[in-house]
Amino acid sequence: MKSQQPLRIAFDVQPGNGGPGRYVASLVRAMAAPEWSVQFVDIPQQTATGQSNPSIAARSPRRLSRLIPRFARHWLGFRREAIRLARNIRTMPVDLLHTQNTGCEEMPVAARLAGVPRVLGTFHVDSPVDLLRQRSGFTHRAMEWYSNRSFHLAIAVSEATRRDWMRRS
């Protein structure tokens, strides 16, 4: 009888001291079994959309960047980052990618672009955690909608967080 290959699961956050890192560490400890193969996506310089991603303006002459509307620069940066992440994901065989980057994030979109059969996300925070009010306009909400529709399944760390994201969707 043929033995079944272990399910290859990738996480986009290394086990560590922060909330998502501790969460991933506890999941990995619980998954120490022959039916699972756990790996971590190597994501150098991963950043959240709109925070410190280099924009088109940073790489274009200043006069040219003024001609590109701000929403288009955000979408182009989002697309560029998703494609870059998808290239990294394609380098490893993955059956399921469990991302801790939810909301308006490139990772779930990248996993789908890379052809990952199942994409799971964990919502660690409520949606209004936007202290600088940089993520509440139409462009951000549209990217958030697109990103969250890339999940096959999502988990929330609490019932309140689940209700919040369900209301926001």
Side-chain angles (χ1 to χ4, degrees), residues 85-129:
L85 292 169
R87 280 191 206 113
N88 287 348
I89 295 167
R90 280 190 200 107
T91 64
M92 63 180 70
V94 176
D95 298 313
L96 179 138
L97 185 131
H98 185 175
T99 180
Q100 312 311 305
N101 294 306
T102 54
C104 181
E105 297 290 341
E106 298 90 348
M107 182 55 74
V109 175
R112 294 298 285 261
L113 287 173
V116 175
R118 293 285 177 240
V119 181
L120 170 67
T122 298
F123 287 88
H124 290 273
V125 296
D126 293 350
S127 62
V129 177

mmCIF file of all heavy atoms in Angstrom, residues 85-129:
data_model
loop_
_atom_site.group_PDB
_atom_site.id
_atom_site.type_symbol
_atom_site.label_atom_id
_atom_site.label_comp_id
_atom_site.label_asym_id
_atom_site.label_seq_id
_atom_site.Cartn_x
_atom_site.Cartn_y
_atom_site.Cartn_z
ATOM 1 N N LEU A 85 5.765 38.381 -3.828
ATOM 2 C CA LEU A 85 5.518 37.331 -2.844
ATOM 3 C C LEU A 85 5.148 36.014 -3.514
ATOM 4 O O LEU A 85 5.571 34.941 -3.075
ATOM 5 C CB LEU A 85 4.411 37.765 -1.873
ATOM 6 C CG LEU A 85 4.758 38.910 -0.934
ATOM 7 C CD1 LEU A 85 3.494 39.413 -0.235
ATOM 8 C CD2 LEU A 85 5.807 38.496 0.063
ATOM 9 N N ALA A 86 4.359 36.082 -4.587
ATOM 10 C CA ALA A 86 3.971 34.864 -5.311
ATOM 11 C C ALA A 86 5.201 34.150 -5.860
ATOM 12 O O ALA A 86 5.277 32.916 -5.826
ATOM 13 C CB ALA A 86 2.995 35.204 -6.437
ATOM 14 N N ARG A 87 6.183 34.907 -6.336
ATOM 15 C CA ARG A 87 7.428 34.285 -6.819
ATOM 16 C C ARG A 87 8.118 33.507 -5.701
ATOM 17 O O ARG A 87 8.621 32.406 -5.906
ATOM 18 C CB ARG A 87 8.370 35.352 -7.364
ATOM 19 C CG ARG A 87 8.028 35.785 -8.744
ATOM 20 C CD ARG A 87 9.150 36.641 -9.352
ATOM 21 N NE ARG A 87 8.563 37.494 -10.346
ATOM 22 C CZ ARG A 87 8.479 38.814 -10.274
ATOM 23 N NH1 ARG A 87 9.000 39.465 -9.267
ATOM 24 N NH2 ARG A 87 7.901 39.504 -11.230
ATOM 25 N N ASN A 88 8.151 34.081 -4.499
ATOM 26 C CA ASN A 88 8.763 33.393 -3.355
ATOM 27 C C ASN A 88 7.991 32.131 -2.997
ATOM 28 O O ASN A 88 8.582 31.094 -2.705
ATOM 29 C CB ASN A 88 8.832 34.308 -2.132
ATOM 30 C CG ASN A 88 9.886 35.372 -2.256
ATOM 31 O OD1 ASN A 88 10.733 35.323 -3.135
ATOM 32 N ND2 ASN A 88 9.830 36.350 -1.389
ATOM 33 N N ILE A 89 6.675 32.213 -3.009
ATOM 34 C CA ILE A 89 5.844 31.066 -2.643
ATOM 35 C C ILE A 89 6.001 29.931 -3.656
ATOM 36 O O ILE A 89 6.036 28.759 -3.287
ATOM 37 C CB ILE A 89 4.364 31.484 -2.512
ATOM 38 C CG1 ILE A 89 4.208 32.464 -1.350
ATOM 39 C CG2 ILE A 89 3.466 30.272 -2.312
ATOM 40 C CD1 ILE A 89 2.862 33.174 -1.316
ATOM 41 N N ARG A 90 6.117 30.268 -4.932
ATOM 42 C CA ARG A 90 6.254 29.238 -5.981
ATOM 43 C C ARG A 90 7.519 28.409 -5.834
ATOM 44 O O ARG A 90 7.615 27.340 -6.410
ATOM 45 C CB ARG A 90 6.235 29.892 -7.356
ATOM 46 C CG ARG A 90 4.867 30.235 -7.829
ATOM 47 C CD ARG A 90 4.881 30.649 -9.303
ATOM 48 N NE ARG A 90 3.695 31.397 -9.589
ATOM 49 C CZ ARG A 90 3.646 32.715 -9.796
ATOM 50 N NH1 ARG A 90 4.751 33.423 -9.776
ATOM 51 N NH2 ARG A 90 2.508 33.317 -10.034
ATOM 52 N N THR A 91 8.493 28.887 -5.071
ATOM 53 C CA THR A 91 9.745 28.137 -4.929
ATOM 54 C C THR A 91 9.606 26.928 -4.004
ATOM 55 O O THR A 91 10.531 26.148 -3.889
ATOM 56 C CB THR A 91 10.883 29.039 -4.388
ATOM 57 O OG1 THR A 91 10.547 29.471 -3.069
ATOM 58 C CG2 THR A 91 11.116 30.219 -5.313
ATOM 59 N N MET A 92 8.475 26.794 -3.340
ATOM 60 C CA MET A 92 8.280 25.671 -2.419
ATOM 61 C C MET A 92 6.953 24.988 -2.709
ATOM 62 O O MET A 92 5.994 25.644 -3.094
ATOM 63 C CB MET A 92 8.311 26.154 -0.974
ATOM 64 C CG MET A 92 7.186 27.118 -0.646
ATOM 65 S SD MET A 92 7.183 27.699 1.041
ATOM 66 C CE MET A 92 8.606 28.746 1.052
ATOM 67 N N PRO A 93 6.911 23.682 -2.548
ATOM 68 C CA PRO A 93 5.615 23.007 -2.719
ATOM 69 C C PRO A 93 4.748 23.267 -1.483
ATOM 70 O O PRO A 93 5.161 23.024 -0.356
ATOM 71 C CB PRO A 93 5.996 21.534 -2.831
ATOM 72 C CG PRO A 93 7.313 21.423 -2.143
ATOM 73 C CD PRO A 93 7.985 22.757 -2.274
ATOM 74 N N VAL A 94 3.557 23.821 -1.696
ATOM 75 C CA VAL A 94 2.670 24.170 -0.595
ATOM 76 C C VAL A 94 1.258 23.665 -0.909
ATOM 77 O O VAL A 94 0.743 23.927 -1.991
ATOM 78 C CB VAL A 94 2.634 25.703 -0.382
ATOM 79 C CG1 VAL A 94 1.650 26.087 0.695
ATOM 80 C CG2 VAL A 94 4.010 26.243 -0.059
ATOM 81 N N ASP A 95 0.671 22.957 0.043
ATOM 82 C CA ASP A 95 -0.724 22.533 -0.087
ATOM 83 C C ASP A 95 -1.663 23.517 0.588
ATOM 84 O O ASP A 95 -2.805 23.676 0.189
ATOM 85 C CB ASP A 95 -0.928 21.150 0.547
ATOM 86 C CG ASP A 95 -0.098 20.085 -0.152
ATOM 87 O OD1 ASP A 95 -0.115 20.047 -1.399
ATOM 88 O OD2 ASP A 95 0.578 19.300 0.544
ATOM 89 N N LEU A 96 -1.173 24.155 1.647
ATOM 90 C CA LEU A 96 -1.971 25.116 2.398
ATOM 91 C C LEU A 96 -1.044 26.214 2.908
ATOM 92 O O LEU A 96 0.006 25.906 3.460
ATOM 93 C CB LEU A 96 -2.660 24.433 3.591
ATOM 94 C CG LEU A 96 -3.502 25.344 4.468
ATOM 95 C CD1 LEU A 96 -4.801 24.641 4.838
ATOM 96 C CD2 LEU A 96 -2.762 25.717 5.727
ATOM 97 N N LEU A 97 -1.421 27.461 2.681
ATOM 98 C CA LEU A 97 -0.662 28.573 3.243
ATOM 99 C C LEU A 97 -1.539 29.214 4.304
ATOM 100 O O LEU A 97 -2.671 29.592 4.031
ATOM 101 C CB LEU A 97 -0.295 29.609 2.187
ATOM 102 C CG LEU A 97 0.613 30.699 2.759
ATOM 103 C CD1 LEU A 97 1.816 30.917 1.872
ATOM 104 C CD2 LEU A 97 -0.125 31.986 2.981
ATOM 105 N N HIS A 98 -1.008 29.307 5.515
ATOM 106 C CA HIS A 98 -1.720 29.932 6.628
ATOM 107 C C HIS A 98 -1.055 31.266 6.893
ATOM 108 O O HIS A 98 0.053 31.330 7.403
ATOM 109 C CB HIS A 98 -1.661 29.042 7.868
ATOM 110 C CG HIS A 98 -2.463 29.570 9.006
ATOM 111 N ND1 HIS A 98 -2.613 28.870 10.171
ATOM 112 C CD2 HIS A 98 -3.169 30.710 9.173
ATOM 113 C CE1 HIS A 98 -3.366 29.560 11.012
ATOM 114 N NE2 HIS A 98 -3.706 30.692 10.416
ATOM 115 N N THR A 99 -1.742 32.331 6.527
ATOM 116 C CA THR A 99 -1.191 33.667 6.681
ATOM 117 C C THR A 99 -1.741 34.349 7.924
ATOM 118 O O THR A 99 -2.906 34.174 8.275
ATOM 119 C CB THR A 99 -1.451 34.544 5.437
ATOM 120 O OG1 THR A 99 -0.884 35.835 5.653
ATOM 121 C CG2 THR A 99 -2.925 34.690 5.130
ATOM 122 N N GLN A 100 -0.888 35.110 8.552
ATOM 123 C CA GLN A 100 -1.291 35.932 9.686
ATOM 124 C C GLN A 100 -1.535 37.357 9.220
ATOM 125 O O GLN A 100 -1.886 38.231 10.007
ATOM 126 C CB GLN A 100 -0.209 35.910 10.780
ATOM 127 C CG GLN A 100 0.302 34.538 11.145
ATOM 128 C CD GLN A 100 -0.787 33.531 11.421
ATOM 129 O OE1 GLN A 100 -1.652 33.754 12.257
ATOM 130 N NE2 GLN A 100 -0.766 32.415 10.718
ATOM 131 N N ASN A 101 -1.309 37.605 7.944
ATOM 132 C CA ASN A 101 -1.490 38.928 7.352
ATOM 133 C C ASN A 101 -2.857 38.992 6.696
ATOM 134 O O ASN A 101 -3.055 38.521 5.582
ATOM 135 C CB ASN A 101 -0.383 39.202 6.331
ATOM 136 C CG ASN A 101 0.959 39.300 6.995
ATOM 137 O OD1 ASN A 101 1.131 40.082 7.916
ATOM 138 N ND2 ASN A 101 1.904 38.491 6.566
ATOM 139 N N THR A 102 -3.804 39.564 7.396
ATOM 140 C CA THR A 102 -5.178 39.643 6.916
ATOM 141 C C THR A 102 -5.622 41.092 6.885
ATOM 142 O O THR A 102 -4.971 41.963 7.441
ATOM 143 C CB THR A 102 -6.108 38.831 7.838
ATOM 144 O OG1 THR A 102 -5.915 39.278 9.183
ATOM 145 C CG2 THR A 102 -5.807 37.345 7.760
ATOM 146 N N GLY A 103 -6.717 41.337 6.242
ATOM 147 C CA GLY A 103 -7.171 42.704 6.046
ATOM 148 C C GLY A 103 -6.726 43.143 4.672
ATOM 149 O O GLY A 103 -6.903 42.420 3.705
ATOM 150 N N CYS A 104 -6.128 44.289 4.566
ATOM 151 C CA CYS A 104 -5.626 44.781 3.280
ATOM 152 C C CYS A 104 -4.175 44.341 3.138
ATOM 153 O O CYS A 104 -3.259 45.118 3.383
ATOM 154 C CB CYS A 104 -5.753 46.299 3.219
ATOM 155 S SG CYS A 104 -5.174 46.982 1.666
ATOM 156 N N GLU A 105 -3.976 43.111 2.762
ATOM 157 C CA GLU A 105 -2.626 42.550 2.681
ATOM 158 C C GLU A 105 -2.432 41.803 1.368
ATOM 159 O O GLU A 105 -3.371 41.217 0.826
ATOM 160 C CB GLU A 105 -2.373 41.593 3.848
ATOM 161 C CG GLU A 105 -2.430 42.250 5.202
ATOM 162 C CD GLU A 105 -1.261 43.178 5.477
ATOM 163 O OE1 GLU A 105 -0.221 43.073 4.792
ATOM 164 O OE2 GLU A 105 -1.389 44.013 6.386
ATOM 165 N N GLU A 106 -1.206 41.772 0.912
ATOM 166 C CA GLU A 106 -0.879 41.143 -0.351
ATOM 167 C C GLU A 106 -0.751 39.623 -0.259
ATOM 168 O O GLU A 106 -0.910 38.926 -1.248
ATOM 169 C CB GLU A 106 0.440 41.710 -0.904
ATOM 170 C CG GLU A 106 0.411 43.185 -1.195
ATOM 171 C CD GLU A 106 0.835 44.050 -0.020
ATOM 172 O OE1 GLU A 106 0.936 43.535 1.118
ATOM 173 O OE2 GLU A 106 1.055 45.244 -0.217
ATOM 174 N N MET A 107 -0.432 39.091 0.929
ATOM 175 C CA MET A 107 -0.121 37.675 1.060
ATOM 176 C C MET A 107 -1.218 36.737 0.555
ATOM 177 O O MET A 107 -0.926 35.805 -0.187
ATOM 178 C CB MET A 107 0.253 37.342 2.509
ATOM 179 C CG MET A 107 0.642 35.884 2.704
ATOM 180 S SD MET A 107 1.978 35.307 1.621
ATOM 181 C CE MET A 107 3.360 36.098 2.385
ATOM 182 N N PRO A 108 -2.489 36.913 0.925
ATOM 183 C CA PRO A 108 -3.492 35.983 0.407
ATOM 184 C C PRO A 108 -3.626 36.048 -1.115
ATOM 185 O O PRO A 108 -3.798 35.017 -1.775
ATOM 186 C CB PRO A 108 -4.792 36.411 1.087
ATOM 187 C CG PRO A 108 -4.488 37.559 1.951
ATOM 188 C CD PRO A 108 -3.040 37.857 1.882
ATOM 189 N N VAL A 109 -3.509 37.226 -1.673
ATOM 190 C CA VAL A 109 -3.569 37.383 -3.123
ATOM 191 C C VAL A 109 -2.367 36.686 -3.755
ATOM 192 O O VAL A 109 -2.500 35.962 -4.750
ATOM 193 C CB VAL A 109 -3.613 38.879 -3.512
ATOM 194 C CG1 VAL A 109 -3.547 39.062 -5.017
ATOM 195 C CG2 VAL A 109 -4.857 39.541 -2.922
ATOM 196 N N ALA A 110 -1.195 36.864 -3.168
ATOM 197 C CA ALA A 110 0.020 36.222 -3.683
ATOM 198 C C ALA A 110 -0.104 34.707 -3.646
ATOM 199 O O ALA A 110 0.303 34.020 -4.593
ATOM 200 C CB ALA A 110 1.235 36.671 -2.864
ATOM 201 N N ALA A 111 -0.648 34.175 -2.569
ATOM 202 C CA ALA A 111 -0.812 32.716 -2.464
ATOM 203 C C ALA A 111 -1.713 32.205 -3.578
ATOM 204 O O ALA A 111 -1.427 31.164 -4.188
ATOM 205 C CB ALA A 111 -1.373 32.350 -1.090
ATOM 206 N N ARG A 112 -2.784 32.921 -3.862
ATOM 207 C CA ARG A 112 -3.675 32.506 -4.951
ATOM 208 C C ARG A 112 -2.958 32.612 -6.297
ATOM 209 O O ARG A 112 -3.093 31.735 -7.154
ATOM 210 C CB ARG A 112 -4.946 33.338 -4.947
ATOM 211 C CG ARG A 112 -5.840 33.125 -3.735
ATOM 212 C CD ARG A 112 -6.360 31.687 -3.633
ATOM 213 N NE ARG A 112 -7.405 31.401 -4.570
ATOM 214 C CZ ARG A 112 -8.696 31.406 -4.302
ATOM 215 N NH1 ARG A 112 -9.111 31.670 -3.084
ATOM 216 N NH2 ARG A 112 -9.566 31.159 -5.243
ATOM 217 N N LEU A 113 -2.194 33.707 -6.504
ATOM 218 C CA LEU A 113 -1.436 33.858 -7.752
ATOM 219 C C LEU A 113 -0.416 32.737 -7.922
ATOM 220 O O LEU A 113 -0.144 32.301 -9.042
ATOM 221 C CB LEU A 113 -0.705 35.204 -7.773
ATOM 222 C CG LEU A 113 -1.546 36.452 -7.980
ATOM 223 C CD1 LEU A 113 -0.688 37.701 -7.811
ATOM 224 C CD2 LEU A 113 -2.216 36.441 -9.336
ATOM 225 N N ALA A 114 0.142 32.272 -6.802
ATOM 226 C CA ALA A 114 1.149 31.208 -6.844
ATOM 227 C C ALA A 114 0.525 29.830 -7.043
ATOM 228 O O ALA A 114 1.233 28.848 -7.204
ATOM 229 C CB ALA A 114 1.976 31.223 -5.558
ATOM 230 N N GLY A 115 -0.803 29.757 -7.003
ATOM 231 C CA GLY A 115 -1.479 28.487 -7.218
ATOM 232 C C GLY A 115 -1.596 27.609 -5.989
ATOM 233 O O GLY A 115 -1.776 26.399 -6.102
ATOM 234 N N VAL A 116 -1.489 28.197 -4.803
ATOM 235 C CA VAL A 116 -1.648 27.426 -3.569
ATOM 236 C C VAL A 116 -3.101 26.944 -3.509
ATOM 237 O O VAL A 116 -4.026 27.752 -3.629
ATOM 238 C CB VAL A 116 -1.300 28.283 -2.325
ATOM 239 C CG1 VAL A 116 -1.580 27.518 -1.045
ATOM 240 C CG2 VAL A 116 0.161 28.720 -2.384
ATOM 241 N N PRO A 117 -3.312 25.629 -3.328
ATOM 242 C CA PRO A 117 -4.679 25.097 -3.362
ATOM 243 C C PRO A 117 -5.591 25.603 -2.250
ATOM 244 O O PRO A 117 -6.797 25.717 -2.448
ATOM 245 C CB PRO A 117 -4.494 23.586 -3.235
ATOM 246 C CG PRO A 117 -3.073 23.314 -3.520
ATOM 247 C CD PRO A 117 -2.311 24.570 -3.246
ATOM 248 N N ARG A 118 -5.044 25.889 -1.074
ATOM 249 C CA ARG A 118 -5.858 26.369 0.045
ATOM 250 C C ARG A 118 -5.134 27.506 0.755
ATOM 251 O O ARG A 118 -3.955 27.387 1.088
ATOM 252 C CB ARG A 118 -6.129 25.260 1.060
ATOM 253 C CG ARG A 118 -7.005 24.165 0.534
ATOM 254 C CD ARG A 118 -8.456 24.657 0.464
ATOM 255 N NE ARG A 118 -9.296 23.633 -0.113
ATOM 256 C CZ ARG A 118 -10.000 23.803 -1.216
ATOM 257 N NH1 ARG A 118 -9.980 24.925 -1.856
ATOM 258 N NH2 ARG A 118 -10.753 22.842 -1.677
ATOM 259 N N VAL A 119 -5.872 28.594 1.003
ATOM 260 C CA VAL A 119 -5.311 29.756 1.694
ATOM 261 C C VAL A 119 -6.176 30.009 2.927
ATOM 262 O O VAL A 119 -7.382 30.213 2.820
ATOM 263 C CB VAL A 119 -5.290 31.007 0.789
ATOM 264 C CG1 VAL A 119 -4.682 32.193 1.522
ATOM 265 C CG2 VAL A 119 -4.533 30.710 -0.502
ATOM 266 N N LEU A 120 -5.534 29.980 4.084
ATOM 267 C CA LEU A 120 -6.183 30.186 5.368
ATOM 268 C C LEU A 120 -5.600 31.435 6.003
ATOM 269 O O LEU A 120 -4.394 31.655 5.947
ATOM 270 C CB LEU A 120 -5.923 28.964 6.263
ATOM 271 C CG LEU A 120 -6.307 29.043 7.730
ATOM 272 C CD1 LEU A 120 -7.817 29.128 7.884
ATOM 273 C CD2 LEU A 120 -5.764 27.825 8.471
ATOM 274 N N GLY A 121 -6.445 32.261 6.596
ATOM 275 C CA GLY A 121 -5.964 33.470 7.262
ATOM 276 C C GLY A 121 -6.490 33.552 8.671
ATOM 277 O O GLY A 121 -7.578 33.066 8.965
ATOM 278 N N THR A 122 -5.696 34.148 9.546
ATOM 279 C CA THR A 122 -6.135 34.410 10.915
ATOM 280 C C THR A 122 -6.204 35.906 11.127
ATOM 281 O O THR A 122 -5.217 36.619 10.926
ATOM 282 C CB THR A 122 -5.180 33.768 11.943
ATOM 283 O OG1 THR A 122 -5.191 32.365 11.765
ATOM 284 C CG2 THR A 122 -5.608 34.093 13.362
ATOM 285 N N PHE A 123 -7.377 36.381 11.533
ATOM 286 C CA PHE A 123 -7.573 37.783 11.874
ATOM 287 C C PHE A 123 -7.195 37.954 13.333
ATOM 288 O O PHE A 123 -7.871 37.451 14.218
ATOM 289 C CB PHE A 123 -9.028 38.196 11.635
ATOM 290 C CG PHE A 123 -9.366 38.326 10.185
ATOM 291 C CD1 PHE A 123 -9.813 37.228 9.466
ATOM 292 C CD2 PHE A 123 -9.223 39.541 9.537
ATOM 293 C CE1 PHE A 123 -10.116 37.345 8.128
ATOM 294 C CE2 PHE A 123 -9.526 39.660 8.189
ATOM 295 C CZ PHE A 123 -9.972 38.556 7.477
ATOM 296 N N HIS A 124 -6.097 38.667 13.580
ATOM 297 C CA HIS A 124 -5.589 38.866 14.935
ATOM 298 C C HIS A 124 -6.117 40.125 15.595
ATOM 299 O O HIS A 124 -6.087 40.242 16.811
ATOM 300 C CB HIS A 124 -4.054 38.910 14.928
ATOM 301 C CG HIS A 124 -3.433 37.593 14.641
ATOM 302 N ND1 HIS A 124 -3.162 36.679 15.622
ATOM 303 C CD2 HIS A 124 -3.052 37.017 13.475
ATOM 304 C CE1 HIS A 124 -2.635 35.596 15.085
ATOM 305 N NE2 HIS A 124 -2.559 35.779 13.786
ATOM 306 N N VAL A 125 -6.529 41.098 14.799
ATOM 307 C CA VAL A 125 -6.990 42.375 15.352
ATOM 308 C C VAL A 125 -8.316 42.765 14.707
ATOM 309 O O VAL A 125 -8.666 42.291 13.632
ATOM 310 C CB VAL A 125 -5.959 43.513 15.133
ATOM 311 C CG1 VAL A 125 -4.671 43.237 15.862
ATOM 312 C CG2 VAL A 125 -5.710 43.736 13.660
ATOM 313 N N ASP A 126 -9.020 43.656 15.365
ATOM 314 C CA ASP A 126 -10.258 44.182 14.803
ATOM 315 C C ASP A 126 -9.932 45.124 13.653
ATOM 316 O O ASP A 126 -8.841 45.695 13.579
ATOM 317 C CB ASP A 126 -11.049 44.928 15.874
ATOM 318 C CG ASP A 126 -11.567 43.995 16.953
ATOM 319 O OD1 ASP A 126 -11.477 42.762 16.777
ATOM 320 O OD2 ASP A 126 -12.056 44.497 17.977
ATOM 321 N N SER A 127 -10.882 45.322 12.779
ATOM 322 C CA SER A 127 -10.653 46.134 11.583
ATOM 323 C C SER A 127 -10.327 47.596 11.855
ATOM 324 O O SER A 127 -9.536 48.168 11.126
ATOM 325 C CB SER A 127 -11.861 46.042 10.658
ATOM 326 O OG SER A 127 -13.005 46.543 11.300
ATOM 327 N N PRO A 128 -10.897 48.259 12.862
ATOM 328 C CA PRO A 128 -10.618 49.687 12.990
ATOM 329 C C PRO A 128 -9.254 50.031 13.584
ATOM 330 O O PRO A 128 -9.015 51.175 13.912
ATOM 331 C CB PRO A 128 -11.747 50.202 13.882
ATOM 332 C CG PRO A 128 -12.198 49.034 14.654
ATOM 333 C CD PRO A 128 -11.919 47.836 13.798
ATOM 334 N N VAL A 129 -8.337 49.074 13.707
ATOM 335 C CA VAL A 129 -7.016 49.394 14.234
ATOM 336 C C VAL A 129 -6.255 50.132 13.124
ATOM 337 O O VAL A 129 -5.518 49.557 12.355
ATOM 338 C CB VAL A 129 -6.267 48.124 14.703
ATOM 339 C CG1 VAL A 129 -4.875 48.479 15.188
ATOM 340 C CG2 VAL A 129 -7.048 47.419 15.776
#
